[in-house]
Amino acid sequence: RAFTEAMNQVSQIQVTPNRLLYNKPYYDVGTVTQSSLNIDERSIPKEFNQITDISVHPSIASGNAYLPQSVTSRPTLDDWEQGSGLIEIDCMNGIASVTVSVCNLLPEAVYTVWEVGVANPGLDEVNYWFPAGGIGNVIRTDINGYGYMELNMPWCPVRECIPGESIDCQIYFSVFHHSDYIVWGADAAGIF
């Protein structure tokens, strides 16, 4: 819920969260398919082994939504806590080369990488986030939950955060998981 509240702080469009989506089993939130008429019309993906019956034609198989073969369809808190990563930054002439390596994340899953920072540090500060390296900030993990990405940024993300002096500063990088396998360009989630 905190993410939705943060998005409401910077958006002109107020979002009323769908309370039915909170505290639901992870993949039971569903995903949008080509037959969805709007963002709220979601299909619950079938597990891989539930969709392999050769008598079922692919065009009618569960709205064409199924999970990759090695996906953990019911991840536990322990599954999440196993994940880790390393970000290496090399700044030269104000431009950054950034390497993102992640491991032990959910296998065959979609993640995006975000730069999260503060504008006007101090009493009037406001959080901001950008797709790290620009739109296309996607990491797809392999069957072991490993992923890698190289990106360039038009500024050095290692900037001091001095209240009253800094215009903006980065707080951290965030790797955001997309359980519905949908990425939204310059927006972390589809909140429109």
Side-chain angles (χ1 to χ4, degrees):
R1 182 171 16 202
F3 181 77
T4 303
E5 290 167 359
M7 295 298 283
N8 276 338
Q9 291 175 3
V10 297
S11 176
Q12 298 297 326
I13 302 170
Q14 291 299 304
V15 176
T16 303
N18 182 345
R19 301 284 178 212
L20 298 175
L21 297 180
Y22 290 113
N23 298 319
K24 262 191 129 163
Y26 189 62
Y27 283 109
D28 287 353
V29 172
T31 188
V32 179
T33 68
Q34 75 277 7
S35 61
S36 300
L37 298 176
N38 61 56
I39 194 170
D40 294 322
E41 189 175 324
R42 292 175 168 258
S43 173
I44 306 301
K46 299 284 187 194
E47 294 196 34
F48 188 87
N49 62 359
Q50 294 175 315
I51 203 81
T52 57
D53 181 355
I54 59 172
S55 66
V56 176
H57 193 277
S59 66
I60 60 172
S62 183
N64 293 319
Y66 63 92
L67 298 171
Q69 188 170 14
S70 63
V71 161
T72 306
S73 63
R74 297 283 184 240
T76 65
L77 181 58
D78 185 58
D79 292 328
W80 287 107
E81 291 179 346
Q82 298 304 312
S84 63
L86 174 68
I87 294 183
E88 298 176 81
I89 302 169
D90 183 28
C91 294
M92 183 175 282
N93 299 323
I95 296 177
S97 296
V98 181
T99 302
V100 180
S101 302
V102 293
C103 62
N104 298 322
L105 297 182
L106 296 177
E108 294 191 272
V110 174
Y111 295 84
T112 51
V113 181
W114 298 85
E115 175 190 358
V116 181
V118 172
N120 302 315
L123 296 176
D124 297 321
E125 67 186 31
V126 179
N127 287 338
Y128 71 85
W129 51 92
F130 286 110
I135 297 172
N137 54 328
V138 177
I139 293 179
R140 170 80 188 247
T141 55
D142 66 14
I143 62 172
N144 297 307
Y146 291 87
Y148 177 83
M149 174 186 205
E150 292 180 355
L151 56 97
N152 293 310
M153 298 176 68
W155 54 77
C156 187
V158 184
R159 300 184 300 279
E160 282 193 73
C161 208
I162 303 169
E165 293 182 29
S166 301
I167 295 173
D168 61 43
C169 55
Q170 180 178 342
I171 304 172
Y172 56 88
F173 281 100
S174 178
V175 177
F176 188 85
H177 181 250
H178 297 266
S179 63
D180 57 5
Y181 290 80
I182 300 172
V183 296
W184 301 94
D187 198 0
I191 57 160
F192 42 83

